[in-house]
Every structure is written in structure tokens, then in C-alpha cells.
Amino acid sequence: MKVQRKRLGDLLIESGLITSEQLEMALQEKGEGQKLGDVLLQRGYITEQQLIEALEFQLGIPHVSLFRYPFDQKLMNLVPKEEAKRNLLIPLKKEGDKLFVAMADPMDFYAIDDLRLSTGFHIEPVIASKDDILRAIGKYYDLDDSMEEMLNEMLANEDAPDDQTGEEDSPVVQLVNQILQLAIQQRASDIHLDPQETKLIVRYRIDGILRTERVLPKHMQSVLTARIKIMANLDITEHRVPQDGRIKIDFDFHPVDIRVSTLPTIYGEKIVLRILDLTSAVNDIHNLGFNKLNLKRFSKLIERPNGIILITGPTGSGKSSTLYAALNQLNNEKVNIITVEDPVEYQLEGVNQIQVNPAIGMTFGQGLRAILRQDPNIIMIGEIRDKETAEIAVRASLTGHLVLSTLHTNDALGTITRLIDMGVEPFLVASSLSGIVSQRLVRKVCRDCAEEQPPSQREIEIFANRGMKIDKIVRGRGCGNCNMTGYKGRIAIQELLTIDENIRRGIMNAEPGSKLKEYAILNKTIFLIDDGLLKVKQGLTTTEEILRVALPE
């Protein structure tokens, strides 16, 4: 008797993971040969883990978490790395004539047939997440096997380290490639190579938090540094001054830009590589995590014909993403948008982007002066760093241009003081400034292992101080998908200050920050801490994360 299988969409609706409207939208968007599950994942309606559990129920195929799975290394010789990567599968174990294989798509019968023919085993598929499989392939095919060989080979070739830095199959080249690949797979934003007295530590910044990936012996430091400098076109003979460069690589057929910075320390050069994944740039203001009121205000701000809009926050708080999303919203053939950046991080079609180059005298100020002769409607300045840039930006906004830029300050009101500190006259600040967005990134609770908990007494107090009530907190237990951290991905929290008449008058009269804050409260400004706590209430993040980036008053 044939078993009637339920359709995936119906299963997901029954389990309350998606609504019928979301299913309809996904079915309409689904392209030829595309799977429904992939469309639902892309739109963010479900997580990979939820899809796996639904498929497990639908197909009757068990799912497995590969985090700390006891792999049999010998089986890796049965399946070539290219095939494993292409078909997203990895062999787990063998029992008699059966080979158990973890697959991202257990319905890929072509891959199963290929595997059966090439190995001679009967293939038993189990389901695992795509990230899990890629991480396992990176770990078991590349790193652990060759790591020992590399160390031994490098020890043997210690006399001639410079010869190894250029050949494609040399151990140091492979090692650098693996460090980069693993970082991109784990969606790290930065790689730190920290020289210590007796070792070299490799750390990845994932979701804003640094963690040690591996510790390498000290004698590998010089060849690793030389290799990275060669890739970034830096001077390998210069060790005493900081250097900056960039590396462009293709990873799984999509371009990745890497900014390289070296810094001489007492134990050698520290290298930081900032990874800019050109395909993962946010380009829609609706995906920036603004709450409803702030989104409405921000949309209104960027539609103004003139004025300055500033995005503020420390390094790595998503300022560039917000700027690019705003430009993307404004970008059409009726307006001339010109940007001056250092460096140009993401290329936007239809936008004229200028790269700052101080070596030839092309500074922000110089670039801005040239831009103003190019009949622009909208100007984007990568960062306001000095009085000259600030003054030209103010002048541009007062002559009918919309100016977007970033500034390194702690909160929206602090930005006003910073501009006046730079030497811009208060009346110019008051008349040119339209709005300020202060932004931070916090880690999102992993949707796969999230569970509700009662709030602690301290949390109830924190919420009460801001005039809010809290009944439950959502926290991640920790699972293989989030590397046992309980967090996966990041979300922005924002404070949006629109400059109204009261604040303008306050700036001109040089009123203290406390008075300006009162005006901001009258204007219904949602402060950073409040926006963060609202996101805790929605179950998106945790109180600890908010307190890590925003101070309770």
C-alpha cells in the first residue's frame, strides 16, 4: 500500500511555522527548478533547522547534527572533496554494505546514484544543514589532515621560508587559503593574527565577538605574514611601520573583498583582515531592523531634498550597511548620486563612487570640492573626520544637497557636541542637520535552540526603570548550528533623533546636553537602550547583549 506523503507547505502551516499567505508568496516567487524550502529560507520565514525537522517528518529520513560528530577519517577517502562540496554531502559511518551519508538534500537521487556507483556501497542518506556540512568538509577534508603535514614540512623548510610564500601548492599558501575559507564559511567579519612571545594566535570575530580559532607555532609567523603581504601587494621588507592593502578573492564563485591592516608590535606584526562579502550587503532599508516609528522617520528623512543625515556608532556597528541601504532606496535615473569613500566597500550600480587616495592628495575635502562642481543631488561622504570635511558637508547641505555621512560618536546627542567641537559654528550645525541615527549591532538569539525563560529580578528592574514590563525572556540553549553560543546572526538597534525647532533653538543658544535630551524626549525619540529592550521583548535578542552595547541610565 502506498503511503500518502503530506506536502511540505501543508506540514509547515500545520506546525505553525508559516502562514498560508507566506506559503502563497513563496510559491509565486519560486523559480523553475527551485525548491520551496530554499525560497522559504531566503525570505527568512523559517530556519534551516525547522526545515530539516519538517523534511524529517515528511520523508521519514532522520536528521543529524554534525557538531562534535565522531567522524571516521578513513571514509573521507571514499568521497572526493570536490564531489562532497558540489553535492553538499559528507560520509558519516559504514555498517556492512551500507554507507551513511549526511546530505543537505536527501532527495538528490543523482548524487546518491553517483555515490553508489563510485563507492560500491548501498547509500543511506540522513539530513544535515548546509552550514553544518560545509563546516565539516572544511574541517575534516582540509584542515586536520594537512595541518600536521604542513607543520612538519615548514619545520623541514625553515631555512628557506621566503621560497614558500608564492608557490600555489606550498604549505603556507594552503594554510592561508584555509584560514580565509574557514572564516568566510563561518561568516566571520574579521580575522586577527596575534603574535605572542612563543606562539601565533588566529582569532575570528563572529557576530561581533572574538574567539580563538587556533594557535600556531611561533616559527610560522614570518612566512604567514609574508604570504598575506604578497597577496595584499604590501612591502614584505618593511616591518616597522603600519601598512594597509586589500585582497580580492573568489569563494565558491562569489567575490569577497578583504581589507588588510598590519601593525608592528613588540612580538612582530599583528595583522587584521576585514572580510567584506560583496553578496551579503544589506540593500533594503526594511531589512535594517528599524522599529515601525524609526523606519517611518528614517524614510521621511532620506526623502528630503537637502540637509545632513548622520549615521553614528563605533567601528563595526553596521553604519556603512545603513548608508548603502539608504542610497539604494534613493537611487534612480532622476538623481545624480556621488559618494567619496575610504575605501569603496560595496559597488552600487548607477552611483558614482570615488576612492580617497591621500598619497596623491585626493582627500575627503578635495573629493568633496570636486563633487560640488559635478551637479549632484545626493552626496555620500564615507566619514566626517576633520573640520574641513565637516564644513564642506555643511555648505553642501545649505546649498540644496542631501548629504549622508558617518561619524564616530556614542549617541545621537553626542554627535551635535562633536561637530561643534570640530569647529563648525553652532548656527551652521542647527540649520544644516536634519537627523542623526545612532546604531549598534547585537547578536540575535539562535532560532533553532531558542527557549522561553522567566526574567531575572535584575532584568525586571532594568525594564521597570525604562517604564516597561517584561513577562518572558527568550534565550538560546546552544546547538550545533550556533556553535553552542545560543546566538546566530546580528540585528541592529537604533536611536533616531530628528532635529526639530526646539533642538535647533537649543543648539543655537548653546544649551546643555540635558536640555537637548528633554527636547528629544518631547519629540518621542526612542533611545538606544529602549529600542534594544523592545527587541528583547520581541524575543530577538537578550538583555545581556543590549547592556553590552548600550548603557542603562
Side-chain angles (χ1 to χ4, degrees):
M1 187 182 120
K2 194 179 177 208
V3 181
Q4 183 64 40
R5 272 215 310 247
K6 274 196 177 169
R7 290 185 310 180
L8 178 65
D10 298 336
L11 263 177
L12 291 168
I13 290 173
E14 272 175 37
S15 49
L17 292 172
I18 60 169
T19 62
S20 43
E21 291 80 37
Q22 287 175 331
L23 177 63
E24 276 305 308
M25 282 169 75
L27 286 169
Q28 282 168 18
E29 199 180 292
K30 190 163 84 81
E32 188 68 38
Q34 204 180 7
K35 296 187 179 69
L36 173 65
D38 290 344
V39 180
L40 291 168
L41 279 178
Q42 273 167 14
R43 290 192 75 99
Y45 293 152
I46 54 170
T47 69
E48 204 167 0
Q49 193 61 31
Q50 289 166 341
L51 176 64
I52 285 171
E53 282 164 15
L55 285 172
E56 178 180 32
F57 187 77
Q58 186 200 21
L59 307 172
I61 296 174
H63 89 269
V64 64
S65 168
L66 304 182
F67 189 78
R68 298 204 179 116
Y69 188 89
F71 281 93
D72 181 352
Q73 292 279 136
K74 295 188 194 80
L75 293 180
M76 302 300 161
N77 301 329
L78 285 173
V79 184
K81 180 185 161 190
E82 279 63 40
E83 189 181 343
K85 267 185 128 163
R86 189 177 62 245
N87 296 323
L88 290 174
L89 52 85
I90 191 165
L92 298 174
K93 60 178 181 180
K94 63 175 190 207
E95 284 176 7
D97 66 341
K98 287 181 183 171
L99 178 65
F100 288 82
V101 178
M103 301 180 72
D105 177 11
M107 303 301 284
D108 186 347
F109 299 119
Y110 292 115
I112 293 173
D113 266 3
D114 285 352
L115 212 52
R116 185 171 54 78
L117 290 169
S118 63
T119 61
F121 284 98
H122 179 70
I123 305 300
E124 287 284 339
V126 297
I127 314 175
S129 75
K130 183 178 166 185
D131 282 354
D132 242 5
I133 290 173
L134 284 173
R135 204 178 298 136
I137 290 172
K139 192 170 176 190
Y140 292 98
Y141 273 95
D142 288 343
L143 302 179
D144 292 4
D145 281 357
S146 46
M147 201 56 203
E148 291 306 311
E149 291 169 30
M150 282 184 194
L151 293 180
N152 295 336
E153 213 171 312
M154 281 189 174
L155 275 170
N157 295 342
E158 219 175 329
D159 308 329
D162 294 338
D163 301 344
Q164 309 173 22
T165 51
E167 297 162 22
E168 281 308 307
D169 56 349
S170 74
V172 65
V173 171
Q174 288 175 10
L175 179 60
V176 171
N177 291 348
Q178 286 164 9
I179 288 171
L180 293 176
Q181 273 186 6
L182 208 59
I184 296 164
Q185 267 171 18
Q186 296 189 29
R187 296 193 181 90
S189 59
D190 301 84
I191 305 169
H192 288 239
L193 300 174
D194 293 328
Q196 309 277 308
E197 190 172 5
T198 57
K199 57 190 181 231
L200 178 71
I201 296 175
V202 180
R203 295 189 293 170
Y204 290 169
R205 188 181 290 281
I206 299 171
D207 289 341
I209 304 290
L210 270 172
R211 67 153 214 267
T212 300
E213 181 61 29
R214 67 171 59 142
V215 178
L216 299 173
K218 183 72 177 173
H219 67 260
M220 292 173 70
Q221 185 181 318
S222 57
V223 282
L224 266 181
T225 305
R227 172 61 190 159
I228 290 168
K229 282 183 167 182
I230 286 169
M231 289 173 80
N233 286 328
L234 301 178
D235 182 354
I236 60 168
T237 60
E238 181 55 83
H239 309 289
R240 298 159 303 169
V241 293
Q243 296 186 65
D244 288 312
R246 37 192 339 173
I247 301 170
K248 270 196 159 82
I249 57 169
D250 273 344
F251 176 72
D252 281 353
F253 307 109
H254 68 254
V256 176
D257 219 357
I258 298 170
R259 296 216 310 254
V260 181
S261 166
T262 73
L263 183 74
T265 70
I266 53 170
Y267 295 125
E269 285 174 287
K270 173 179 166 68
I271 298 179
V272 176
L273 302 118
R274 160 66 59 94
I275 299 169
L276 301 166
D277 188 342
L278 304 178
T279 52
S280 66
V282 177
N283 47 21
D284 185 353
I285 59 169
H286 296 91
N287 298 341
L288 292 171
F290 278 112
N291 63 45
K292 279 185 187 142
L293 177 66
N294 281 349
L295 180 62
K296 203 164 134 194
R297 287 181 167 184
F298 188 64
S299 301
K300 244 179 162 167
L301 272 181
I302 62 175
E303 277 159 17
R304 293 177 62 141
N306 60 356
I308 297 180
I309 300 163
L310 292 174
I311 320 278
T312 75
T315 310
S317 57
K319 299 189 295 292
S320 300
S321 295
T322 306
L323 272 184
Y324 282 119
L327 286 183
N328 214 41
Q329 177 93 348
L330 299 168
N331 189 7
N332 62 50
E333 60 176 27
K334 295 175 187 157
V335 290
N336 177 18
I337 303 177
I338 308 183
T339 77
V340 52
E341 304 168 61
D342 180 23
V344 173
E345 288 185 16
Y346 302 109
Q347 275 107 28
L348 291 174
E349 206 174 322
V351 174
N352 309 289
Q353 293 170 282
I354 300 170
Q355 171 88 40
V356 168
N357 187 350
I360 56 165
M362 180 62 166
T363 59
F364 275 119
Q366 196 69 35
L368 265 173
R369 281 197 192 89
I371 284 176
L372 290 173
R373 296 193 284 272
Q374 289 277 323
D375 180 32
N377 299 94
I378 298 161
I379 299 168
M380 192 267 261
I381 308 164
E383 189 188 334
I384 293 180
R385 293 181 183 170
D386 50 40
K387 183 183 177 183
E388 182 194 18
T389 313
E391 282 181 340
I392 303 170
V394 166
R395 219 167 300 142
S397 75
L398 292 175
T399 51
H401 304 94
L402 180 66
V403 179
L404 302 169
S405 188
T406 69
L407 201 61
H408 287 266
T409 57
N410 288 332
D411 57 5
L413 287 165
T415 308
I416 296 168
T417 321
R418 176 95 174 87
L419 284 171
I420 294 168
D421 254 8
M422 273 183 176
V424 182
E425 293 292 340
F427 73 90
L428 286 175
V429 174
S431 50
S432 62
L433 211 52
S434 305
I436 305 163
V437 179
S438 183
Q439 180 170 306
R440 301 287 186 284
L441 290 177
V442 291
R443 291 183 293 169
K444 273 174 22 184
V445 172
C446 171
R447 281 166 64 180
D448 295 327
C449 59
E451 55 184 20
E452 290 182 1
Q453 294 177 1
S456 68
Q457 193 53 44
R458 172 89 180 106
E459 283 174 323
I460 293 169
E461 282 168 23
I462 290 167
F463 274 84
N465 286 345
R466 307 299 300 177
M468 296 185 218
K469 281 179 78 174
I470 183 81
D471 310 315
K472 60 179 192 297
I473 297 276
V474 177
R475 275 197 180 79
R477 275 190 322 277
C479 63
N481 285 341
C482 61
N483 261 334
M484 303 312 274
T485 57
Y487 298 100
K488 190 170 187 192
R490 287 193 288 176
I491 190 169
I493 60 170
Q494 290 105 346
E495 168 177 309
L496 201 163
L497 179 71
T498 45
I499 309 295
D500 62 359
E501 278 314 306
N502 287 335
I503 296 176
R504 276 208 172 87
R505 210 174 310 113
I507 297 170
M508 286 199 197
N509 298 339
E511 289 182 14
S514 54
K515 197 78 183 136
L516 293 180
K517 189 165 184 185
E518 283 173 27
Y519 295 144
I521 292 166
L522 282 174
N523 197 8
K524 293 193 168 56
T525 301
I526 299 171
F527 293 99
L528 258 184
I529 184 88
D530 299 326
D531 191 38
L533 294 179
L534 285 168
K535 284 180 173 133
V536 174
K537 276 190 88 156
Q538 291 167 10
L540 295 172
T541 184
T542 61
T543 323
E544 295 85 13
E545 275 297 292
I546 301 304
L547 296 182
R548 185 171 65 80
V549 298
L551 293 169
E553 288 150 30

